[in-house]
Amino acid sequence: MTRTLFVTGAAGFIGAALSKRLLQRADRVVGLDNLNSYYDPTLKQARLRQVEAMASAGAWRFEPISLEDGDALTALFAEERPDVVVNLAAQAGVRYSL
């Protein structure tokens, strides 16, 4: 049975690696990341391209939303109805997180 998983922080190092692993085992992955500029956005976009390149048709979806956007999250949850959520999203740097 294919499960749908949300992976927050999907453009990060760990999030992208996890997304690839989940796709390899035939799960469906919905990646979320706000793609902020604390780390180089081109690096994040390159990771997302790598994930997309190895995903089979319909197995990968990326949404560039922030977890603070409650309306967008609620709509996405209603549409996708994930079986599992893996929350890897974080704001790097203590001062920025405040």
Side-chain angles (χ1 to χ4, degrees):
M1 177 170 83
T2 300
R3 298 182 308 169
T4 297
L5 294 94
F6 277 13
V7 176
T8 69
F13 179 78
I14 295 171
L18 175 63
S19 296
K20 287 189 223 178
R21 180 67 183 108
L22 294 170
L23 290 166
Q24 286 173 340
R25 58 175 223 187
D27 287 316
R28 184 167 177 278
V29 179
V30 178
L32 294 83
D33 202 296
N34 67 3
L35 300 173
N36 68 44
S37 61
Y38 189 86
Y39 293 114
D40 184 4
T42 58
L43 178 60
K44 295 176 184 184
Q45 292 162 352
R47 287 189 191 119
L48 292 173
R49 283 193 299 274
Q50 290 174 355
V51 174
E52 185 173 1
M54 55 92 48
S56 60
W60 167 252
R61 174 179 177 181
F62 176 72
E63 290 296 325
I65 62 174
S66 176
L67 296 184
E68 293 91 1
D69 188 345
D71 291 339
L73 277 179
T74 298
L76 190 60
F77 266 85
E79 179 183 350
E80 291 289 350
R81 303 181 51 84
D83 299 296
V84 176
V85 176
V86 181
N87 184 23
L88 299 172
Q91 176 59 59
V94 174
R95 289 188 179 114
Y96 290 98
S97 70
L98 297 175

